[in-house]
Each structure stands twice: as C-alpha cells, then as structure tokens.
Amino acid sequence: MKILLLGSGELGKEFTIAAQRIGQTIIAVDSYENAPAMQVAHDFEVINMLDGEALDRIVAKHNPDFIVPEIEAIRTERFYDYEKQGITVVPSAKAANFTMNRRAIRDLASKELGLKTANYRYATTAEELQLGVKAVGMPCVVKPLMSSSGKGQSTIKTEADIEKAWNYAVEGSRGDVVEVIVEAFVKFNSEITLLTVVQNNNPTLFCAPIGHRQERGDYQESWQPARISDKDLYEAQDMAEQVTEALGGAGLFGVEFFLTDDGVYFSELSPRPHDTGMVTLAGTQNFNEFELHLRAILSLPIFEITLEKAGASAVISASRNATNPTYAGIEKIAALPKTDFRIFGKPTSRPYRRMGVALVHDTLETPIEEVVEKAKSAARLVTVHS
C-alpha cells in the first residue's frame, strides 16, 4: 500500500519505521526539508499543506491508497474530496477535519454527545477574549483553535494577563484561523491519555492509561500505567468510545482526560499517535502505539493489547537555537540499565523544542514513580549543542 504522510515529525518518523517493517510505501510531506520522517521514507515532498492546490497536486501525483495526517496545519476540508476519489483518509475525513480544530471537537464532545468538559468560550479578538474570561472565570487557560505541543497556550490569572495571552495564542497558532478557546481551569488530580484503537471489523480496544506532566502546555514526562480507579477508567473508556464512534474511521486516537474529585472530564483528542504515547516505545505493550495505528489502518486484526512492563518517557529538550545540532551525553544514557533513547534528527533546534526522548522500563511491580525519576535523570544526561 502507498501512504501519503502529511506531517513528518518524530511521531511520523516512528510511524514510517513501523510501516517499513511490513512493506508499506511512505511518502513523507512537510513544510521543510529533512524533517524526521523524510529521513526514513521512500520519497518526500516539501509544501505548505495549508495551500489546497499544492495539496491537490501531490495527491494527484502520488495517488496514494491512504492519507495519514500527523499535524494540524493542513487544508483538511480537501479530505472530503479525496475520500470521494476512493482514497482512505485516516481515521476519516470527518475525524481529521473535526480534530484539527478545537472548536469542532469540543462542540462535538460537549454539545452533541453531552460529555463532561471544562466551561469554555471562543474569541476572535482580544475584546472577545476579555468577555470569555469574564464568563468562565479566572484562572483560565487560553489555546489557539489550531496548535499542538502547547504552542500558544497560556494561563490567565489576572486582568493584566489577557492581552498577553491573546498575542501569544495568535503567534502560536497553526494555520490561518485567528481564534482561541478559553477554558475554565479544572482542578484536577491528574491527567491521562487513553490510547483508543478503533478497528474496521473488530472491537475498539484501549491501551492501559498513560499519565503525563506538562509544562508550557507540552508534555515533559509520561508513564504507563497511570493510577486510576476502575470507576474512572470505565467512564473514560465510555467517553472515548462515544467520541471516536461519532468521528468514524479506523486508527489510533489519543484521548486526553482530567481526573478530578468530581469524576472524569474530557479534555482533547488527537486522531493519531500521541506524543505522551511515546512511552510505548519502552516496550510497555505487546504493540507500540505506531504499530497499533498502522494495523488498524490496514485492517489487520488486533486480538488484544497487553501491558507487559511499567515504563516512562522523558523529553530531551533544546535550550538554544541551532542549525544541525549535535548531542553530548549519549554514551552516558546508553550505559544505563533498562534504558533506551530516541534522537529525532530535527535539522534545527530552539529553546524548549523536543529533540529526543529517554525511555525507561521495569517490572509491573516497580513503583511507577521510580521509573519516572529514572527517565527524568536519563534525559538530563543528554544536552543539545550548536
């Protein structure tokens, strides 16, 4: 099968590796050359994916069997036409179109399905943001409607923060949508990602829940399994199945939830492998999240997903701007027991950019806090240089 991968970051790279292992052909697409997935794909294209005509040209040129989006900044409304041409859009044109924009997915979850979410409003100007903040109260969180990895996200605690939050959100927005969502702050005990695998002809499956910690809206560490009560897990699985069924199609979804004293709140959804799910590269499951996504796409039956080990991932971040960055300390992390790492191969770095990840595994009996601390310590051994 021929797969056109739209977005070629670290998640796309691992997906490409999984696809190569079972003989699939990958054409990697991104807005810059030498993106991580391009380094391991059969072919690549460099275009602005918000340019609908450019997108049409490469789809016509390669005539793929599948289109697999990996990022938000895509002219997703074109996907409906590609489906009419007989191309499978992953998970579906509707799912990709809805989830690339926070307005569509939040309204689906809250208004159509009645799932429990934070109180929220939308704003297209700084003045509308002020009204939204007044409606939901402070503290509150502001996010661009189109962004990922925490870009443009900030917390408003005082009136003085509102204009700064608006400007930061607009700067961090992907795509050409100048609009933000402002959410009431949910007093949560923890956050989880529930990787949900929707199959074409078999039951929906769930991975063991993944816990994670964020800074600046971007994950820093993730761990599997996360602690969660049976009641909360059942509630999260029910919500995840409702929203993925409404979106349609097959593939792996990363569904995020807040766990509170008041139960489970739906937060966000990604129709693809999730950054926090990189912990599965530590061998925590019988299939990692990229293999699960691929198998679901290709309608290869997945009998079960089993939790094999406890694991944690910790981000290796850059602290400076650099072209063709180099890495120090790799030999130190390589010498550690039950530890592995990935360097993504990004051609440039900037402060806080995710450049790699440290991976640690241990037995299921090992306290997960110990595994997380080992991953954090391992990640600190590697530094990114110009």
Side-chain angles (χ1 to χ4, degrees):
M1 294 289 183
K2 186 186 290 185
I3 298 172
L4 189 67
L5 178 67
L6 300 181
S8 299
E10 58 266 31
L11 301 177
K13 185 173 189 175
E14 292 294 337
F15 175 78
T16 300
I17 290 168
Q20 295 269 26
R21 284 179 174 149
I22 60 171
Q24 308 306 299
T25 299
I26 302 285
I27 299 97
V29 184
D30 216 310
S31 59
Y32 64 97
E33 286 192 26
N34 202 31
M38 293 178 185
Q39 299 160 16
V40 292
H42 292 87
D43 200 355
F44 70 91
E45 298 280 357
V46 178
I47 65 164
N48 174 8
M49 286 173 282
L50 287 168
D51 182 337
E53 292 183 359
L55 201 57
D56 289 345
R57 282 196 299 273
I58 65 163
V59 169
K61 174 182 174 180
H62 293 284
N63 190 26
D65 299 290
F66 296 91
I67 293 175
V68 178
E70 192 237 16
I71 63 170
E72 289 77 15
I74 304 171
R75 190 60 65 195
T76 53
E77 61 269 23
R78 288 290 214 275
F79 289 170
Y80 294 105
D81 290 334
Y82 304 152
E83 278 192 340
K84 290 176 183 176
Q85 295 170 27
I87 300 169
T88 300
V89 177
V90 175
S92 67
K94 179 182 178 181
N97 200 48
F98 271 47
T99 54
M100 294 304 177
N101 185 306
R102 286 189 169 97
R103 175 188 279 273
I105 190 62
R106 179 57 62 88
D107 286 352
L108 172 68
S110 178
K111 296 179 180 179
E112 292 187 36
L113 299 177
L115 305 186
K116 192 185 299 182
T117 71
N119 187 14
Y120 65 96
R121 296 291 189 278
Y122 301 114
T124 58
T125 65
E127 291 73 25
E128 287 183 5
L129 179 57
Q130 286 185 320
L131 295 174
V133 171
K134 186 176 181 180
V136 305
M138 290 186 282
C140 55
V141 178
V142 176
K143 306 172 187 176
L145 286 191
M146 290 181 66
S147 72
S148 64
S149 301
K151 294 179 179 66
Q153 178 174 323
S154 62
T155 300
I156 292 176
K157 298 179 180 178
T158 68
E159 289 280 343
D161 295 332
I162 296 176
E163 186 173 354
K164 289 186 291 185
W166 169 259
N167 293 332
Y168 184 60
V170 171
E171 290 170 8
S173 177
R174 288 189 175 186
D176 50 9
V177 177
V178 182
E179 189 170 5
V180 304
I181 182 172
V182 53
E183 301 175 329
F185 188 79
V186 175
K187 188 177 180 182
F188 59 87
N189 301 315
S190 60
E191 298 176 85
I192 65 162
T193 304
L194 189 63
L195 299 179
T196 302
V197 184
V198 181
Q199 303 186 79
N200 276 318
N201 302 305
N202 288 289
T204 293
L205 301 175
F206 302 98
C207 299
I210 295 169
H212 52 92
R213 184 183 71 85
Q214 297 189 45
E215 287 181 8
R216 299 171 299 278
D218 198 7
Y219 110 96
Q220 302 300 303
E221 301 96 37
S222 64
W223 55 91
Q224 189 185 33
R227 287 197 182 93
I228 183 172
S229 69
D230 290 343
K231 176 180 176 295
D232 284 353
L233 181 58
Y234 176 80
E235 191 174 350
Q237 289 177 341
D238 180 62
M239 287 187 185
E241 190 155 19
Q242 284 189 60
V243 72
T244 55
E245 183 177 332
L247 291 170
L252 179 140
F253 294 77
V255 192
E256 295 181 65
F257 297 97
F258 297 121
L259 305 184
T260 77
D261 291 340
D262 188 34
V264 179
Y265 281 70
F266 173 86
S267 175
E268 293 191 336
L269 179 147
S270 299
R272 58 186 184 275
H274 200 269
D275 49 8
T276 63
M278 282 193 281
V279 67
T280 62
L281 294 171
T284 54
Q285 304 181 158
N286 56 333
F287 298 112
N288 67 47
E289 66 168 343
F290 307 99
E291 294 166 333
L292 290 170
H293 193 44
L294 178 69
R295 286 169 182 252
I297 290 167
L298 299 178
S299 297
L300 297 173
I302 304 163
F303 178 70
E304 63 180 349
I305 303 169
T306 57
L307 183 66
E308 303 292 325
K309 303 171 186 175
S313 73
V315 170
I316 298 169
S317 297
S319 60
R320 65 189 73 185
N321 293 308
T323 301
N324 299 319
T326 59
Y327 301 83
I330 288 177
E331 71 285 349
K332 296 177 183 177
I333 196 172
L336 296 173
K338 300 179 181 179
T339 302
D340 199 359
F341 63 95
R342 299 286 189 278
I343 300 298
F344 303 143
K346 294 178 179 178
T348 61
S349 68
R350 58 179 177 269
Y352 306 118
R353 190 177 197 191
R354 191 164 58 219
M355 306 299 289
V357 66
L359 301 161
V360 172
H361 66 87
D362 216 316
T363 65
L364 288 171
E365 293 71 35
T366 306
I368 199 67
E369 294 83 359
E370 291 183 16
V371 185
V372 174
E373 284 304 315
K374 287 178 181 177
K376 290 167 64 175
S377 297
R380 287 194 290 265
L381 294 174
V382 180
T383 55
V384 184
H385 295 272
S386 54

